[in-house]
Amino acid sequence: MSLEVLRVENLSFRYNSAEVLTGVNLTMAAGDYVGLVGPNGSGKTTLLKNILHITPPTTGEVFLFGTAARSFRAWHKIGFLPQKADSLHPNFPATVREVVEMGLAAGRAKNSHELLKRALGKLNILDLQGRLIGELSGGQKQRVLLARSIVNEPQLLILDEPATALDPESRDNFFSLLDGLNKREAVAIILVTHDLGSVGSYASKLLYLDRRPLFYGSFDSFCQSESMTSYFGPSSQHIICHQHNDRKQE
Ligand code: ADP
């Protein structure tokens, strides 16, 4: 059986009196690649914050690698690339190497040099390591921030709208990097995106959230689901599924 990375049990969350999430259940194993999609305000970022225990759920429970999130300590197993990561100040006085170094978890000092080199190498930015972060293009900067989020070699990588600010070429490069981590190293990925039309070309599972999960499962079962056909309409479902089928034929 493959390693359980994440289990969310009957989670709900409210801000003051407003219930934002209800009845969320999901399980992820090593190597899963979940596209988390839903309208604006549907609770995607809130769910990530609940999973990462930044704001604990109001009811229900999150388990990370089999341990309840409230007692979980092995945070180096999880990488997080938050939304608007591109908003680093242009004059932020740090080099690429220093920014990636900031991601190193405490207690990993022993092989920090090796971890740093590997992360820079995977993202193909070894030659940029002495440059100031503010001097880089949007695509380069996003690679640096991805390097920072994987520097501890996490087994679960959570990304909140990571490609919004990228041009199409940098976006393609960015997604092939993620694909490599997922396929070669079985890193489990949760990718939040508003792009329902193309998420099927990256992810193998879909979580469609609208304050409650309307669908969680493989793209194949999504594409065969009659209830999803009646929810999205046959042509929208076709667009989503077409992308996914293209990916499978590669
Ligand atoms: P999404 O990421 O899908 O756009 P969010 O998780 O950011 O959705 O927000 C879900 C709902 O929670 C929205 O209605 C939003 O207005 C509300 N919300 C988000 N953050 C807060 C907060 N700090 N206090 C109160 N309400 C919030």
Side-chain angles (χ1 to χ4, degrees), residues 20-122:
V20 173
L21 290 170
T22 312
V24 183
N25 289 288
L26 68 116
T27 311
M28 277 180 80
D32 276 349
Y33 192 153
V34 174
L36 170 50
V37 189
N40 265 341
S42 58
K44 302 183 293 297
T45 302
T46 304
L47 178 59
L48 298 188
K49 287 183 181 165
N50 280 194
I51 289 172
L52 292 162
H53 225 61
I54 298 169
T55 47
T58 311
T59 60
E61 190 93 74
V62 173
F63 294 90
L64 299 163
F65 301 92
T67 301
R70 66 193 130 75
S71 347
F72 187 70
R73 297 288 174 266
W75 291 104
H76 64 273
K77 288 188 179 174
I78 303 177
F80 179 43
L81 186 53
Q83 211 174 3
K84 298 206 180 81
D86 194 43
S87 60
L88 268 181
H89 194 278
N91 296 329
F92 190 59
T95 62
V96 166
R97 187 187 170 86
E98 287 164 343
V99 169
V100 178
E101 226 164 12
M102 284 175 212
L104 279 169
R108 308 214 102 202
K110 251 194 303 181
N111 61 345
S112 61
H113 181 73
E114 190 52 37
L115 288 172
L116 196 60
K117 216 171 77 187
R118 280 213 290 265
L120 293 167
K122 272 181 208 162

